Amino acid sequence: QVQLVESGGGLVQAGGSLRLSCAASGRSLSTYAMAWFRQAPGQEREFVAGINRSVGSTSYADSPKGRFTISRDNAKNTVYLQMNSLKPEDTAIYYCAASPNYPTTYPGSYVYWGQGTQVTVSS
């Protein structure tokens, strides 16, 4: 079992930055691909960014590409999402997720999820 706990969300003005963290316990994250998803009210959960088991290979959805950066520190058992140039449309609950396979955009591929952290971007 892996427990994931997100932190770092909050209220920020448009153009600002936030850094989300996802801390894991129970098992090493080094054996999992990791991803961030988000869900806005009334919307489906959508893929934001993913990173494979080893540091280096990342993927992003079109909307946050160039503004968000996913990274991981396996020694700290933590995954990060650096979000810059935030826009009101980035407002959502952000979730981290772990997959034993390669990172995909499909939520069903992920076996462990955190409880989410709220990000609100004001205009």
Side-chain angles (χ1 to χ4, degrees):
Q1 286 285 340
V2 176
Q3 292 78 42
L4 302 175
V5 178
E6 302 95 336
S7 62
L11 173 64
V12 64
Q13 288 188 330
S17 298
L18 283 174
R19 187 196 196 202
L20 305 184
S21 298
C22 173
S25 60
R27 191 174 291 181
S28 172
L29 280 186
S30 63
T31 59
Y32 294 91
M34 299 297 297
W36 287 94
F37 285 76
R38 66 187 181 187
Q39 189 166 19
Q43 305 280 334
E44 292 187 352
R45 192 167 297 190
E46 65 173 0
F47 173 83
V48 175
I51 187 167
N52 71 353
R53 294 183 186 88
S54 62
V55 175
S57 178
T58 59
S59 58
Y60 297 90
D62 288 341
S63 175
K65 192 177 294 183
R67 300 186 296 122
F68 293 5
T69 302
I70 187 171
S71 61
R72 66 190 301 162
D73 186 336
N74 287 338
K76 294 183 177 179
N77 232 22
T78 302
V79 177
Y80 304 97
L81 184 69
Q82 177 67 43
M83 305 187 295
N84 299 327
S85 302
L86 283 161
K87 304 175 181 180
E89 52 263 44
D90 294 319
T91 296
I93 299 175
Y94 284 71
Y95 300 89
C96 69
S99 169
N101 303 308
Y102 291 99
T104 76
T105 62
Y106 176 53
S109 300
Y110 296 82
V111 295
Y112 299 112
W113 291 83
Q115 83 291 347
T117 185
Q118 176 71 48
V119 171
T120 303
V121 184
S122 63
S123 58

